[in-house]
Amino acid sequence: MASAAEQLAANMNFASFQKATELHKRIWFTIIALIVYRLGTYIPIPGIDAVAFERLFNGNSGGLLGMFNLFSGGAVQHMAIFSLNVTPYISASIIVQLMGTVYPPWEKLKKEGGEAGRKTLNQYTRYFAVVLAVVQSASIAFGLQAQQGVVVGGIGPAFFVVSTVVTLTGGTLFLMWLGEQITSRGVGNGVSLIIFAGIVARLPIVLGQMLVQAQTSGSYTPVFLVVIGAVAAILAIVFMERSQRRLLVHYPKRQQGNRMIGGENSFMPLKINTAGVIPPIFASSLLLLPTTAMSFIQTANLPEWMSWLPGVVGALQHGHPAFLVFYALLIIFFSFFYTSVVFNPEETAENLRKYGGFLPGIRPGKRTAEYLDYVLTRLTVIGAAYITAVCVAPELVMMAIKSNQFALGGTSILIVVTVTMDTVAQIQSHLLAHQYEGLIKKSKLRGGRNR
């Protein structure tokens, strides 16, 4: 016999969606917030010569600037107020989560602080994001000043730096706030949807550029290779993201008053990819840090003992073998790291013991925690290998056909598909909640009539 949740899911249709007015409000709020974000990617910072900057961007769009432009939704191309996007916030999240494992006070906040501890760590993340945004925006301001003709004449250097720092940092803070509003009042994770919207907005432009290049060269083979690779990656992502290992959990019968309760079996679902889309995002952010810093340093002024630095940093740029190696290693590292942050076997085993549940054949407590850790480690190995393959394989194809279309890379496809699936799942959960509330109201009305 189907459960109540399965019966509700089977009854979901367009008519039930029409009646879910609260869900309509959430979807409209999300759409309007993303439109506001997209408009901000076309508002340039003050003091920039648009024509000169466009020439600078076109000359470097195949490397670091192109990667930044993808994740900012085209904002870098216009040097817009949202050029930094939510990158400082993501980098700050990495720092805080890493510190939460090695710095005892923060580790205590994470494990024992409960909701208050989580809010405190989130506040620290915001503070770090502001600091990183100021540093990155100042680097951009000094870098733009060093370029001939990019800054409009007549603007003082100090005024340009201050205005650029205030504008870009303010844009990042606004996007952080907008993402939190989408999460609480809209549908889906706000920060993920902002990154998602930026990538999707670039897809038509990228496809158009690829078709123009194919028409110019007279060969459509690279286009077919990229499209086939993208379709294969999407199928693999959907299959793996929906895959899970179900652990049987048994709740024995116990007497409560005059009634016997329990005696039921349920399943504990463990996803193969518990870390989700976080590992490639974190890996990309970390690999961009050295290249970002080096792009705004005058290499001619470096001392002789640091002459090796530009070559090393250059090898870590997109499209180089060293980049792919470190990218894969960082993805694997963050897959294990973030899984350990999200899922605590000891805490899960203790919760099972409190509620009387146990895994058949496994003693409650320490043995259950060890078994959960054993299963989760092996699942994470599969998940890390899958994410690495999905992210690195398209990069190898791009290198083979000498293309710099980042929007069709593995990281972009993984973000788009994963965020889409998570958002659809949240919409379905809102529909289920609406239907459940409707059933409760109907049962109350019937009960009143029977009286």
Side-chain angles (χ1 to χ4, degrees):
M1 183 176 177
S3 64
E6 290 172 340
Q7 291 177 7
L8 286 172
N11 292 328
M12 281 198 304
N13 49 37
F14 186 72
S16 63
F17 176 78
Q18 283 183 312
K19 296 175 183 177
T21 55
E22 176 65 24
L23 179 59
H24 296 170
K25 294 178 183 178
R26 286 180 170 271
I27 292 176
W28 277 114
F29 180 86
T30 304
I31 292 173
I32 293 171
L34 293 178
I35 290 174
V36 170
Y37 157 64
R38 290 302 304 154
L39 291 175
T41 60
Y42 292 93
I43 303 175
I45 63 175
I48 293 292
D49 186 327
V51 177
F53 181 78
E54 185 178 359
R55 286 199 300 268
L56 173 65
F57 177 82
N58 290 336
N60 297 275
S61 60
L64 179 65
L65 285 180
M67 180 67 78
F68 269 127
N69 193 51
L70 168 64
F71 287 107
S72 66
V76 173
Q77 185 176 357
H78 309 101
M79 192 42 65
I81 59 175
F82 292 159
S83 292
L84 289 181
N85 205 267
V86 290
T87 305
Y89 179 74
I90 294 171
S91 301
S93 300
I94 299 172
I95 295 172
V96 171
Q97 291 188 16
L98 286 173
M99 291 290 290
T101 61
V102 297
Y103 184 53
W106 287 11
E107 187 177 7
K108 186 176 180 181
L109 269 178
K110 185 175 69 174
K111 291 183 177 179
E112 304 173 10
E115 184 65 18
R118 186 184 65 81
K119 288 182 179 179
T120 302
L121 290 177
N122 286 341
Q123 197 63 27
Y124 290 158
T125 303
R126 296 187 186 99
Y127 293 151
F128 273 114
V130 172
V131 173
L132 290 175
V134 170
V135 172
Q136 291 181 13
S137 56
S139 301
I140 290 173
F142 287 119
L144 291 174
Q145 278 187 332
Q147 302 298 324
Q148 188 71 25
V150 173
V151 180
V152 176
I155 296 180
F159 177 80
F160 176 75
V161 171
V162 171
S163 65
T164 301
V165 169
V166 171
T167 303
L168 293 180
T169 303
T172 295
L173 294 180
F174 176 79
L175 288 182
M176 287 166 53
W177 174 83
L178 190 66
E180 291 176 356
Q181 296 303 308
I182 293 174
T183 302
S184 60
R185 300 172 59 184
V187 177
N189 181 280
V191 174
S192 298
L193 280 173
I194 287 173
I195 300 173
F196 165 86
I199 295 173
V200 170
R202 298 292 302 167
L203 282 177
I205 300 173
V206 168
L207 290 174
Q209 291 174 348
M210 289 190 65
L211 290 174
V212 170
Q213 292 175 359
Q215 188 175 9
T216 304
S217 63
S219 173
Y220 286 88
T221 303
V223 178
F224 287 124
L225 286 175
V226 171
V227 171
I228 292 172
V231 172
I234 291 172
L235 293 175
I237 292 168
V238 172
F239 176 78
M240 295 297 289
E241 291 297 326
R242 293 183 66 87
S243 301
Q244 55 184 220
R245 168 75 184 276
R246 291 186 173 187
L247 298 179
L248 179 64
V249 180
H250 181 68
Y251 292 93
K253 292 183 179 180
R254 65 182 187 274
Q255 188 168 356
Q256 186 173 356
N258 296 326
R259 294 185 304 166
M260 293 292 293
I261 62 173
E264 298 178 352
N265 293 331
S266 65
F267 291 95
M268 179 191 299
L270 297 178
K271 291 185 65 177
I272 291 180
N273 178 26
T274 307
V277 75
I278 297 297
I281 293 179
F282 279 13
S284 299
S285 299
L286 280 184
L287 284 175
L288 286 175
L289 288 178
T291 51
T292 304
M294 183 54 62
S295 64
F296 298 111
I297 293 176
Q298 296 292 333
T299 55
N301 299 329
L302 286 175
E304 186 176 350
W305 62 274
M306 292 185 65
S307 58
W308 54 269
L309 189 59
V312 173
V313 174
L316 293 176
Q317 290 190 14
H318 184 85
H320 291 76
F323 171 86
L324 290 180
V325 172
F326 281 99
Y327 186 41
L329 292 176
L330 285 173
I331 289 175
I332 294 171
F333 167 75
F334 280 117
S335 295
F336 282 92
F337 170 75
Y338 200 75
T339 299
S340 67
V341 171
V342 173
F343 189 92
N344 188 336
E346 294 180 0
E347 184 179 345
T348 305
E350 181 62 23
N351 289 335
L352 278 176
R353 189 185 62 80
K354 283 181 180 178
Y355 292 102
F358 64 92
L359 303 178
I362 308 294
R363 292 185 63 181
K366 183 180 178 181
R367 293 291 298 171
T368 299
E370 291 175 352
Y371 180 74
L372 290 175
D373 182 64
Y374 171 85
V375 174
L376 192 65
T377 300
R378 278 143 186 79
L379 289 178
T380 307
V381 170
I382 300 173
Y386 135 70
I387 299 179
T388 304
V390 166
C391 292
V392 172
E395 301 288 341
L396 293 173
V397 174
M398 294 292 179
M399 289 175 61
I401 64 176
K402 295 180 171 56
S403 174
N404 291 312
Q405 304 297 354
F406 304 111
L408 293 174
T411 306
S412 306
I413 296 173
L414 182 66
I415 292 172
V416 169
V417 176
T418 306
V419 173
T420 301
M421 292 174 64
D422 289 343
T423 305
V424 170
Q426 284 206 21
I427 292 175
Q428 290 178 337
S429 67
H430 283 295
L431 280 175
L432 284 171
H434 174 74
Q435 285 191 314
Y436 184 68
E437 290 174 1
L439 289 175
I440 291 176
K441 289 179 181 179
K442 287 181 181 180
S443 63
K444 287 182 178 179
L445 287 174
R446 288 172 183 171
R449 289 171 184 171
N450 292 335
R451 290 178 184 174

